[in-house]
Amino acid sequence: MMPLDLDANATEPLRPEAREAVLRALETGGNPSSVHGGGRAARRILEEARRAVAARFGGEVVFASGGTEANALALHALSPSRRVLLGATEHAAVRAAAPPGAAVLPVLRDGTLDLAALEAALRDGPPALVCAMAANNETGVLHPLSEIAALCRAHGALLHVDAVQAARLSVELPGDTLALSGHKLGGPSGAGALVLRSGIALSPLIAGGGQEQGRRGGTEALPAIAGLAAAVTAPYDAARLAALRDAVEAALGEGAVIAGQDAPRLPNTALAVLPGVAAETVVIALDLAGVRVSAGAACSSGKVARSHVLEAMGFGEDAGSGIRLSLPWNAPDDTPERFRRAWEGVRARLSSRRPALAT
C-alpha cells in the first residue's frame, strides 16, 4: 500500500488538470517573447494563465519562480523608505527578506496576529509596510486579514500578504501585494506569482530582458505557469477535508494539544504538540509506519528545529514537540482510520517512555 501522505503543506500532489496544462505547454514550446508563430502561441498560454490568476485573486499578476521569490520581490519593492512590521509567526521566506531592524509583532495564544499591538505600532512612527500571512504554514491559523487591512488603510500603511497556503481557499487581494506558489496548490514546482494592486510600482528583484513588463527578468517557466493557473481554478472540497482533519485530530487522543484549535484554520491542517516528545522522533516513527508528516519547522534543510511559531504562541519547551498533519486535496476517505492504526502503534512505543501520551 502506498504511504499515507499527510504533508500536503510541504507540497500538494499534482492535480490532473495541472498535469494536462503542463503537457500542453511543453508540446507548444516557444518563447513567449518571440514574435513568430511559435512565440505567439506560447504568449497566448502565458496570458491565459495570467488572466486565470487575476480572475481568482484580483489585481495585476507578475509570475515568479515560487512563493519565496514572490515574497522577496514584494519586500524589495515596497520596503524602501518604510518601516517593516511583520508578525512573529511569518514564514522564513518573509523573515529572511525583511530588512534589518524590521519590527516583529506578537501573536495571541491562538496564533492570530495581535491587532492591538499592530495598531499601536502603526500609530508610532512613519509610514509602514505590514507583512501578514493569510494562513500559517504550520498551524493553519487564518489571520484576520480584513481587520489588518482596515488598520493599514487607516494609518497609511502598505500591506503585503503571504497567501501561499491560504490560496487553496477563496482569497482576494486584501491589501497591496499577495504571494502565491504553484506547488502548494497542486501545480508543479517552479512557478509562483505576485499579485499586486493596480498602481503599485514594482522595481525588479531580477533584472533581465524586460519580461513581465520589466518587473521580473528571465524567460517565463511556461509549463510550470500553465500548471499553476490550472491548479488555481481546480475545485477544493474544504468541508470534506475539514471533516477528515477533525477525525485525524480525534485519533491522536488526549495526550496531544492542537495548536490554534480555537482560531479559524485551514480545513486541512493540524499542528499537534506532543509534550515531552521530540518532533523528529514522531516524524521518523510515523514514516516507518507508512504515514508521512512533518515537524512544524521542517521547511528548508530537512532538519528538525524548534518551531518559532510555537515559541511565539507561548509553548515554551514544547516548541520542539509539534508535528504537522496536512491533508492533500485528494486525501482518501479512509485517512482517519489508516492514521489511527499507525498512530496506535507509534503511541504505544512512545508512551512506554512518556506516560502523558497514553490514553
Side-chain angles (χ1 to χ4, degrees):
M1 180 180 291
M2 290 290 292
L4 178 62
D5 179 14
L6 296 181
D7 196 20
N9 284 11
T11 194
E12 284 274 16
L14 187 66
R15 286 178 172 271
E17 305 96 325
R19 184 187 299 274
E20 292 174 8
V22 168
L23 292 175
R24 285 196 301 270
L26 285 170
E27 292 168 355
T28 299
N31 186 318
S33 297
S34 298
V35 297
H36 52 61
R40 293 197 300 273
R43 172 62 63 177
R44 282 194 292 273
I45 293 175
L46 178 66
E47 296 309 322
E48 286 171 2
R50 197 184 311 279
R51 286 192 292 273
V53 175
R56 171 73 187 276
F57 300 101
E60 301 177 6
V61 176
V62 177
F63 289 116
S65 63
T68 295
E69 185 190 338
N71 280 314
L73 177 56
L75 270 84
H76 169 76
L78 302 182
S79 64
S81 75
R82 284 181 176 266
R83 296 178 298 140
V84 174
L85 310 176
L86 62 153
T89 58
E90 290 297 305
H91 191 275
V94 172
R95 299 166 71 203
V104 178
L105 301 172
V107 296
L108 304 177
R109 177 71 185 189
D110 66 2
T112 58
L113 190 66
D114 187 331
L115 296 181
L118 171 60
E119 184 170 22
L122 288 172
R123 285 199 308 263
D124 182 24
L129 166 64
V130 175
C131 299
M133 64 196 326
N136 186 264
N137 54 300
E138 296 186 23
T139 63
V141 166
L142 301 172
H143 288 295
L145 287 183
S146 58
E147 291 90 339
I148 293 170
L151 286 172
C152 289
R153 287 192 298 270
H155 293 277
L158 297 178
L159 173 61
H160 168 64
V161 173
D162 175 355
V164 164
Q165 297 291 347
R168 301 176 174 99
L169 307 178
S170 179
V171 179
E172 293 186 0
L173 180 63
D176 301 284
T177 54
L178 179 146
L180 309 171
S181 179
H183 75 104
K184 305 293 188 178
L185 300 169
S189 299
L194 184 66
V195 182
L196 57 152
R197 178 174 54 80
S198 179
I200 290 290
L202 197 65
S203 57
L205 181 63
I206 300 174
Q211 294 89 351
E212 298 299 293
Q213 299 182 6
R215 297 182 289 194
R216 196 273 186 183
T219 300
E220 293 91 349
L222 192 64
I225 289 170
L228 161 62
V232 158
T233 57
Y236 189 75
D237 193 342
R240 175 178 175 273
L241 288 171
L244 291 175
R245 188 267 320 269
D246 291 348
V248 167
E249 289 180 353
L252 285 164
E254 297 179 356
V257 177
I258 305 301
Q261 188 171 28
D262 295 332
R265 288 182 294 159
L266 291 173
N268 77 316
T269 305
L271 183 63
V273 180
L274 307 170
V277 180
E280 184 174 13
T281 300
V282 182
V283 171
I284 294 171
L286 282 172
D287 187 34
L288 293 173
V291 179
R292 295 171 177 171
V293 302
S294 69
C299 182
S300 58
S301 65
K303 298 179 181 179
V304 177
R306 287 170 61 89
S307 166
H308 75 281
V309 172
L310 291 177
E311 287 180 336
M313 294 172 67
F315 278 86
E317 291 300 317
D318 290 328
S321 300
I323 60 167
R324 183 180 67 185
L325 312 167
S326 49
L327 283 67
W329 62 268
N330 60 350
D333 291 340
D334 64 351
T335 292
E337 178 58 24
R338 290 178 63 186
F339 176 77
R340 183 191 63 76
R341 291 198 300 266
W343 175 241
E344 284 182 351
V346 170
R347 183 175 57 191
R349 292 192 295 274
L350 295 175
S351 63
S352 65
R353 294 174 290 163
R354 306 286 184 182
L357 285 177
T359 55

mmCIF file with all atom_site columns, all heavy atoms in Angstrom, residues 142-163:
data_model
loop_
_atom_site.group_PDB
_atom_site.id
_atom_site.type_symbol
_atom_site.label_atom_id
_atom_site.label_alt_id
_atom_site.label_comp_id
_atom_site.label_asym_id
_atom_site.label_entity_id
_atom_site.label_seq_id
_atom_site.pdbx_PDB_ins_code
_atom_site.Cartn_x
_atom_site.Cartn_y
_atom_site.Cartn_z
_atom_site.occupancy
_atom_site.B_iso_or_equiv
_atom_site.pdbx_formal_charge
_atom_site.auth_seq_id
_atom_site.auth_comp_id
_atom_site.auth_asym_id
_atom_site.auth_atom_id
_atom_site.pdbx_PDB_model_num
ATOM 1   N N   . LEU A 1 142 ? -5.742  31.108 10.427 1.00 0.00 ? 142 LEU A N   1
ATOM 2   C CA  . LEU A 1 142 ? -6.052  32.194 9.494  1.00 0.00 ? 142 LEU A CA  1
ATOM 3   C C   . LEU A 1 142 ? -6.002  33.525 10.240 1.00 0.00 ? 142 LEU A C   1
ATOM 4   O O   . LEU A 1 142 ? -6.679  33.693 11.256 1.00 0.00 ? 142 LEU A O   1
ATOM 5   C CB  . LEU A 1 142 ? -7.440  31.989 8.889  1.00 0.00 ? 142 LEU A CB  1
ATOM 6   C CG  . LEU A 1 142 ? -7.658  30.690 8.113  1.00 0.00 ? 142 LEU A CG  1
ATOM 7   C CD1 . LEU A 1 142 ? -9.125  30.531 7.733  1.00 0.00 ? 142 LEU A CD1 1
ATOM 8   C CD2 . LEU A 1 142 ? -6.786  30.648 6.865  1.00 0.00 ? 142 LEU A CD2 1
ATOM 9   N N   . HIS A 1 143 ? -5.224  34.451 9.735  1.00 0.00 ? 143 HIS A N   1
ATOM 10  C CA  . HIS A 1 143 ? -5.166  35.772 10.350 1.00 0.00 ? 143 HIS A CA  1
ATOM 11  C C   . HIS A 1 143 ? -6.355  36.616 9.899  1.00 0.00 ? 143 HIS A C   1
ATOM 12  O O   . HIS A 1 143 ? -6.878  36.428 8.789  1.00 0.00 ? 143 HIS A O   1
ATOM 13  C CB  . HIS A 1 143 ? -3.862  36.479 9.987  1.00 0.00 ? 143 HIS A CB  1
ATOM 14  C CG  . HIS A 1 143 ? -2.662  35.901 10.675 1.00 0.00 ? 143 HIS A CG  1
ATOM 15  N ND1 . HIS A 1 143 ? -2.491  35.963 12.037 1.00 0.00 ? 143 HIS A ND1 1
ATOM 16  C CD2 . HIS A 1 143 ? -1.577  35.241 10.194 1.00 0.00 ? 143 HIS A CD2 1
ATOM 17  C CE1 . HIS A 1 143 ? -1.353  35.382 12.373 1.00 0.00 ? 143 HIS A CE1 1
ATOM 18  N NE2 . HIS A 1 143 ? -0.786  34.917 11.277 1.00 0.00 ? 143 HIS A NE2 1
ATOM 19  N N   . PRO A 1 144 ? -6.802  37.573 10.732 1.00 0.00 ? 144 PRO A N   1
ATOM 20  C CA  . PRO A 1 144 ? -7.965  38.409 10.391 1.00 0.00 ? 144 PRO A CA  1
ATOM 21  C C   . PRO A 1 144 ? -7.580  39.479 9.366  1.00 0.00 ? 144 PRO A C   1
ATOM 22  O O   . PRO A 1 144 ? -7.368  40.647 9.705  1.00 0.00 ? 144 PRO A O   1
ATOM 23  C CB  . PRO A 1 144 ? -8.364  39.013 11.740 1.00 0.00 ? 144 PRO A CB  1
ATOM 24  C CG  . PRO A 1 144 ? -7.086  39.061 12.515 1.00 0.00 ? 144 PRO A CG  1
ATOM 25  C CD  . PRO A 1 144 ? -6.295  37.856 12.091 1.00 0.00 ? 144 PRO A CD  1
ATOM 26  N N   . LEU A 1 145 ? -7.499  39.099 8.101  1.00 0.00 ? 145 LEU A N   1
ATOM 27  C CA  . LEU A 1 145 ? -6.962  39.999 7.077  1.00 0.00 ? 145 LEU A CA  1
ATOM 28  C C   . LEU A 1 145 ? -7.802  41.251 6.875  1.00 0.00 ? 145 LEU A C   1
ATOM 29  O O   . LEU A 1 145 ? -7.262  42.327 6.607  1.00 0.00 ? 145 LEU A O   1
ATOM 30  C CB  . LEU A 1 145 ? -6.819  39.251 5.754  1.00 0.00 ? 145 LEU A CB  1
ATOM 31  C CG  . LEU A 1 145 ? -5.690  38.229 5.652  1.00 0.00 ? 145 LEU A CG  1
ATOM 32  C CD1 . LEU A 1 145 ? -5.647  37.638 4.246  1.00 0.00 ? 145 LEU A CD1 1
ATOM 33  C CD2 . LEU A 1 145 ? -4.355  38.862 6.007  1.00 0.00 ? 145 LEU A CD2 1
ATOM 34  N N   . SER A 1 146 ? -9.120  41.129 6.975  1.00 0.00 ? 146 SER A N   1
ATOM 35  C CA  . SER A 1 146 ? -9.949  42.318 6.753  1.00 0.00 ? 146 SER A CA  1
ATOM 36  C C   . SER A 1 146 ? -9.673  43.366 7.820  1.00 0.00 ? 146 SER A C   1
ATOM 37  O O   . SER A 1 146 ? -9.565  44.567 7.508  1.00 0.00 ? 146 SER A O   1
ATOM 38  C CB  . SER A 1 146 ? -11.438 41.941 6.738  1.00 0.00 ? 146 SER A CB  1
ATOM 39  O OG  . SER A 1 146 ? -11.800 41.306 7.958  1.00 0.00 ? 146 SER A OG  1
ATOM 40  N N   . GLU A 1 147 ? -9.512  42.950 9.080  1.00 0.00 ? 147 GLU A N   1
ATOM 41  C CA  . GLU A 1 147 ? -9.203  43.902 10.149 1.00 0.00 ? 147 GLU A CA  1
ATOM 42  C C   . GLU A 1 147 ? -7.787  44.465 9.991  1.00 0.00 ? 147 GLU A C   1
ATOM 43  O O   . GLU A 1 147 ? -7.551  45.652 10.210 1.00 0.00 ? 147 GLU A O   1
ATOM 44  C CB  . GLU A 1 147 ? -9.349  43.234 11.520 1.00 0.00 ? 147 GLU A CB  1
ATOM 45  C CG  . GLU A 1 147 ? -10.778 42.898 11.905 1.00 0.00 ? 147 GLU A CG  1
ATOM 46  C CD  . GLU A 1 147 ? -11.191 41.508 11.454 1.00 0.00 ? 147 GLU A CD  1
ATOM 47  O OE1 . GLU A 1 147 ? -10.546 40.970 10.530 1.00 0.00 ? 147 GLU A OE1 1
ATOM 48  O OE2 . GLU A 1 147 ? -12.159 40.965 12.024 1.00 0.00 ? 147 GLU A OE2 1
ATOM 49  N N   . ILE A 1 148 ? -6.851  43.611 9.602  1.00 0.00 ? 148 ILE A N   1
ATOM 50  C CA  . ILE A 1 148 ? -5.484  44.079 9.382  1.00 0.00 ? 148 ILE A CA  1
ATOM 51  C C   . ILE A 1 148 ? -5.441  45.098 8.251  1.00 0.00 ? 148 ILE A C   1
ATOM 52  O O   . ILE A 1 148 ? -4.795  46.144 8.353  1.00 0.00 ? 148 ILE A O   1
ATOM 53  C CB  . ILE A 1 148 ? -4.562  42.876 9.079  1.00 0.00 ? 148 ILE A CB  1
ATOM 54  C CG1 . ILE A 1 148 ? -4.430  41.981 10.317 1.00 0.00 ? 148 ILE A CG1 1
ATOM 55  C CG2 . ILE A 1 148 ? -3.184  43.343 8.611  1.00 0.00 ? 148 ILE A CG2 1
ATOM 56  C CD1 . ILE A 1 148 ? -3.749  40.649 10.039 1.00 0.00 ? 148 ILE A CD1 1
ATOM 57  N N   . ALA A 1 149 ? -6.136  44.802 7.162  1.00 0.00 ? 149 ALA A N   1
ATOM 58  C CA  . ALA A 1 149 ? -6.162  45.720 6.023  1.00 0.00 ? 149 ALA A CA  1
ATOM 59  C C   . ALA A 1 149 ? -6.790  47.057 6.401  1.00 0.00 ? 149 ALA A C   1
ATOM 60  O O   . ALA A 1 149 ? -6.324  48.119 5.973  1.00 0.00 ? 149 ALA A O   1
ATOM 61  C CB  . ALA A 1 149 ? -6.915  45.086 4.861  1.00 0.00 ? 149 ALA A CB  1
ATOM 62  N N   . ALA A 1 150 ? -7.852  47.024 7.213  1.00 0.00 ? 150 ALA A N   1
ATOM 63  C CA  . ALA A 1 150 ? -8.502  48.265 7.626  1.00 0.00 ? 150 ALA A CA  1
ATOM 64  C C   . ALA A 1 150 ? -7.565  49.131 8.466  1.00 0.00 ? 150 ALA A C   1
ATOM 65  O O   . ALA A 1 150 ? -7.508  50.355 8.302  1.00 0.00 ? 150 ALA A O   1
ATOM 66  C CB  . ALA A 1 150 ? -9.776  47.946 8.410  1.00 0.00 ? 150 ALA A CB  1
ATOM 67  N N   . LEU A 1 151 ? -6.809  48.496 9.362  1.00 0.00 ? 151 LEU A N   1
ATOM 68  C CA  . LEU A 1 151 ? -5.847  49.249 10.170 1.00 0.00 ? 151 LEU A CA  1
ATOM 69  C C   . LEU A 1 151 ? -4.752  49.852 9.290  1.00 0.00 ? 151 LEU A C   1
ATOM 70  O O   . LEU A 1 151 ? -4.325  50.996 9.497  1.00 0.00 ? 151 LEU A O   1
ATOM 71  C CB  . LEU A 1 151 ? -5.221  48.338 11.230 1.00 0.00 ? 151 LEU A CB  1
ATOM 72  C CG  . LEU A 1 151 ? -6.118  47.960 12.415 1.00 0.00 ? 151 LEU A CG  1
ATOM 73  C CD1 . LEU A 1 151 ? -5.449  46.904 13.280 1.00 0.00 ? 151 LEU A CD1 1
ATOM 74  C CD2 . LEU A 1 151 ? -6.448  49.201 13.250 1.00 0.00 ? 151 LEU A CD2 1
ATOM 75  N N   . CYS A 1 152 ? -4.298  49.090 8.310  1.00 0.00 ? 152 CYS A N   1
ATOM 76  C CA  . CYS A 1 152 ? -3.263  49.608 7.407  1.00 0.00 ? 152 CYS A CA  1
ATOM 77  C C   . CYS A 1 152 ? -3.772  50.815 6.632  1.00 0.00 ? 152 CYS A C   1
ATOM 78  O O   . CYS A 1 152 ? -3.071  51.835 6.499  1.00 0.00 ? 152 CYS A O   1
ATOM 79  C CB  . CYS A 1 152 ? -2.812  48.506 6.450  1.00 0.00 ? 152 CYS A CB  1
ATOM 80  S SG  . CYS A 1 152 ? -1.831  47.207 7.234  1.00 0.00 ? 152 CYS A SG  1
ATOM 81  N N   . ARG A 1 153 ? -4.982  50.723 6.121  1.00 0.00 ? 153 ARG A N   1
ATOM 82  C CA  . ARG A 1 153 ? -5.549  51.860 5.374  1.00 0.00 ? 153 ARG A CA  1
ATOM 83  C C   . ARG A 1 153 ? -5.688  53.088 6.270  1.00 0.00 ? 153 ARG A C   1
ATOM 84  O O   . ARG A 1 153 ? -5.393  54.217 5.851  1.00 0.00 ? 153 ARG A O   1
ATOM 85  C CB  . ARG A 1 153 ? -6.906  51.482 4.784  1.00 0.00 ? 153 ARG A CB  1
ATOM 86  C CG  . ARG A 1 153 ? -6.827  50.522 3.598  1.00 0.00 ? 153 ARG A CG  1
ATOM 87  C CD  . ARG A 1 153 ? -8.162  50.424 2.885  1.00 0.00 ? 153 ARG A CD  1
ATOM 88  N NE  . ARG A 1 153 ? -9.215  49.898 3.761  1.00 0.00 ? 153 ARG A NE  1
ATOM 89  C CZ  . ARG A 1 153 ? -9.511  48.616 3.886  1.00 0.00 ? 153 ARG A CZ  1
ATOM 90  N NH1 . ARG A 1 153 ? -8.822  47.704 3.195  1.00 0.00 ? 153 ARG A NH1 1
ATOM 91  N NH2 . ARG A 1 153 ? -10.489 48.220 4.674  1.00 0.00 ? 153 ARG A NH2 1
ATOM 92  N N   . ALA A 1 154 ? -6.124  52.868 7.497  1.00 0.00 ? 154 ALA A N   1
ATOM 93  C CA  . ALA A 1 154 ? -6.349  54.000 8.403  1.00 0.00 ? 154 ALA A CA  1
ATOM 94  C C   . ALA A 1 154 ? -5.063  54.727 8.752  1.00 0.00 ? 154 ALA A C   1
ATOM 95  O O   . ALA A 1 154 ? -5.083  55.926 9.067  1.00 0.00 ? 154 ALA A O   1
ATOM 96  C CB  . ALA A 1 154 ? -7.029  53.500 9.690  1.00 0.00 ? 154 ALA A CB  1
ATOM 97  N N   . HIS A 1 155 ? -3.931  54.020 8.669  1.00 0.00 ? 155 HIS A N   1
ATOM 98  C CA  . HIS A 1 155 ? -2.660  54.627 9.069  1.00 0.00 ? 155 HIS A CA  1
ATOM 99  C C   . HIS A 1 155 ? -1.697  54.801 7.897  1.00 0.00 ? 155 HIS A C   1
ATOM 100 O O   . HIS A 1 155 ? -0.506  55.038 8.109  1.00 0.00 ? 155 HIS A O   1
ATOM 101 C CB  . HIS A 1 155 ? -2.003  53.782 10.168 1.00 0.00 ? 155 HIS A CB  1
ATOM 102 C CG  . HIS A 1 155 ? -2.769  53.784 11.458 1.00 0.00 ? 155 HIS A CG  1
ATOM 103 N ND1 . HIS A 1 155 ? -2.655  54.788 12.401 1.00 0.00 ? 155 HIS A ND1 1
ATOM 104 C CD2 . HIS A 1 155 ? -3.681  52.909 11.961 1.00 0.00 ? 155 HIS A CD2 1
ATOM 105 C CE1 . HIS A 1 155 ? -3.449  54.522 13.431 1.00 0.00 ? 155 HIS A CE1 1
ATOM 106 N NE2 . HIS A 1 155 ? -4.084  53.383 13.191 1.00 0.00 ? 155 HIS A NE2 1
ATOM 107 N N   . GLY A 1 156 ? -2.207  54.713 6.675  1.00 0.00 ? 156 GLY A N   1
ATOM 108 C CA  . GLY A 1 156 ? -1.373  54.953 5.509  1.00 0.00 ? 156 GLY A CA  1
ATOM 109 C C   . GLY A 1 156 ? -0.283  53.920 5.297  1.00 0.00 ? 156 GLY A C   1
ATOM 110 O O   . GLY A 1 156 ? 0.754   54.226 4.697  1.00 0.00 ? 156 GLY A O   1
ATOM 111 N N   . ALA A 1 157 ? -0.505  52.700 5.751  1.00 0.00 ? 157 ALA A N   1
ATOM 112 C CA  . ALA A 1 157 ? 0.494   51.636 5.608  1.00 0.00 ? 157 ALA A CA  1
ATOM 113 C C   . ALA A 1 157 ? 0.182   50.780 4.390  1.00 0.00 ? 157 ALA A C   1
ATOM 114 O O   . ALA A 1 157 ? -0.977  50.624 3.989  1.00 0.00 ? 157 ALA A O   1
ATOM 115 C CB  . ALA A 1 157 ? 0.527   50.762 6.857  1.00 0.00 ? 157 ALA A CB  1
ATOM 116 N N   . LEU A 1 158 ? 1.220   50.201 3.809  1.00 0.00 ? 158 LEU A N   1
ATOM 117 C CA  . LEU A 1 158 ? 1.044   49.196 2.771  1.00 0.00 ? 158 LEU A CA  1
ATOM 118 C C   . LEU A 1 158 ? 0.936   47.825 3.419  1.00 0.00 ? 158 LEU A C   1
ATOM 119 O O   . LEU A 1 158 ? 1.454   47.593 4.517  1.00 0.00 ? 158 LEU A O   1
ATOM 120 C CB  . LEU A 1 158 ? 2.234   49.219 1.798  1.00 0.00 ? 158 LEU A CB  1
ATOM 121 C CG  . LEU A 1 158 ? 2.449   50.506 1.006  1.00 0.00 ? 158 LEU A CG  1
ATOM 122 C CD1 . LEU A 1 158 ? 3.691   50.381 0.120  1.00 0.00 ? 158 LEU A CD1 1
ATOM 123 C CD2 . LEU A 1 158 ? 1.228   50.854 0.174  1.00 0.00 ? 158 LEU A CD2 1
ATOM 124 N N   . LEU A 1 159 ? 0.267   46.900 2.726  1.00 0.00 ? 159 LEU A N   1
ATOM 125 C CA  . LEU A 1 159 ? 0.061   45.554 3.266  1.00 0.00 ? 159 LEU A CA  1
ATOM 126 C C   . LEU A 1 159 ? 0.477   44.504 2.246  1.00 0.00 ? 159 LEU A C   1
ATOM 127 O O   . LEU A 1 159 ? -0.048  44.465 1.122  1.00 0.00 ? 159 LEU A O   1
ATOM 128 C CB  . LEU A 1 159 ? -1.404  45.340 3.643  1.00 0.00 ? 159 LEU A CB  1
ATOM 129 C CG  . LEU A 1 159 ? -1.803  43.915 4.075  1.00 0.00 ? 159 LEU A CG  1
ATOM 130 C CD1 . LEU A 1 159 ? -1.027  43.477 5.310  1.00 0.00 ? 159 LEU A CD1 1
ATOM 131 C CD2 . LEU A 1 159 ? -3.308  43.829 4.321  1.00 0.00 ? 159 LEU A CD2 1
ATOM 132 N N   . HIS A 1 160 ? 1.433   43.665 2.645  1.00 0.00 ? 160 HIS A N   1
ATOM 133 C CA  . HIS A 1 160 ? 1.804   42.504 1.829  1.00 0.00 ? 160 HIS A CA  1
ATOM 134 C C   . HIS A 1 160 ? 1.314   41.243 2.529  1.00 0.00 ? 160 HIS A C   1
ATOM 135 O O   . HIS A 1 160 ? 1.520   41.061 3.732  1.00 0.00 ? 160 HIS A O   1
ATOM 136 C CB  . HIS A 1 160 ? 3.314   42.415 1.639  1.00 0.00 ? 160 HIS A CB  1
ATOM 137 C CG  . HIS A 1 160 ? 3.738   41.092 1.047  1.00 0.00 ? 160 HIS A CG  1
ATOM 138 N ND1 . HIS A 1 160 ? 3.353   40.707 -0.219 1.00 0.00 ? 160 HIS A ND1 1
ATOM 139 C CD2 . HIS A 1 160 ? 4.477   40.052 1.559  1.00 0.00 ? 160 HIS A CD2 1
ATOM 140 C CE1 . HIS A 1 160 ? 3.838   39.497 -0.473 1.00 0.00 ? 160 HIS A CE1 1
ATOM 141 N NE2 . HIS A 1 160 ? 4.516   39.082 0.581  1.00 0.00 ? 160 HIS A NE2 1
ATOM 142 N N   . VAL A 1 161 ? 0.684   40.360 1.751  1.00 0.00 ? 161 VAL A N   1
ATOM 143 C CA  . VAL A 1 161 ? 0.111   39.128 2.290  1.00 0.00 ? 161 VAL A CA  1
ATOM 144 C C   . VAL A 1 161 ? 0.786   37.924 1.647  1.00 0.00 ? 161 VAL A C   1
ATOM 145 O O   . VAL A 1 161 ? 0.798   37.791 0.420  1.00 0.00 ? 161 VAL A O   1
ATOM 146 C CB  . VAL A 1 161 ? -1.409  39.070 2.048  1.00 0.00 ? 161 VAL A CB  1
ATOM 147 C CG1 . VAL A 1 161 ? -1.972  37.716 2.466  1.00 0.00 ? 161 VAL A CG1 1
ATOM 148 C CG2 . VAL A 1 161 ? -2.107  40.192 2.803  1.00 0.00 ? 161 VAL A CG2 1
ATOM 149 N N   . ASP A 1 162 ? 1.339   37.062 2.483  1.00 0.00 ? 162 ASP A N   1
ATOM 150 C CA  . ASP A 1 162 ? 1.827   35.763 2.034  1.00 0.00 ? 162 ASP A CA  1
ATOM 151 C C   . ASP A 1 162 ? 0.624   34.819 2.053  1.00 0.00 ? 162 ASP A C   1
ATOM 152 O O   . ASP A 1 162 ? 0.181   34.381 3.109  1.00 0.00 ? 162 ASP A O   1
ATOM 153 C CB  . ASP A 1 162 ? 2.925   35.281 2.990  1.00 0.00 ? 162 ASP A CB  1
ATOM 154 C CG  . ASP A 1 162 ? 3.426   33.872 2.670  1.00 0.00 ? 162 ASP A CG  1
ATOM 155 O OD1 . ASP A 1 162 ? 2.858   33.227 1.768  1.00 0.00 ? 162 ASP A OD1 1
ATOM 156 O OD2 . ASP A 1 162 ? 4.364   33.416 3.342  1.00 0.00 ? 162 ASP A OD2 1
ATOM 157 N N   . ALA A 1 163 ? 0.104   34.521 0.859  1.00 0.00 ? 163 ALA A N   1
ATOM 158 C CA  . ALA A 1 163 ? -1.081  33.673 0.742  1.00 0.00 ? 163 ALA A CA  1
ATOM 159 C C   . ALA A 1 163 ? -0.733  32.292 0.194  1.00 0.00 ? 163 ALA A C   1
ATOM 160 O O   . ALA A 1 163 ? -1.594  31.608 -0.362 1.00 0.00 ? 163 ALA A O   1
ATOM 161 C CB  . ALA A 1 163 ? -2.124  34.343 -0.140 1.00 0.00 ? 163 ALA A CB  1
#
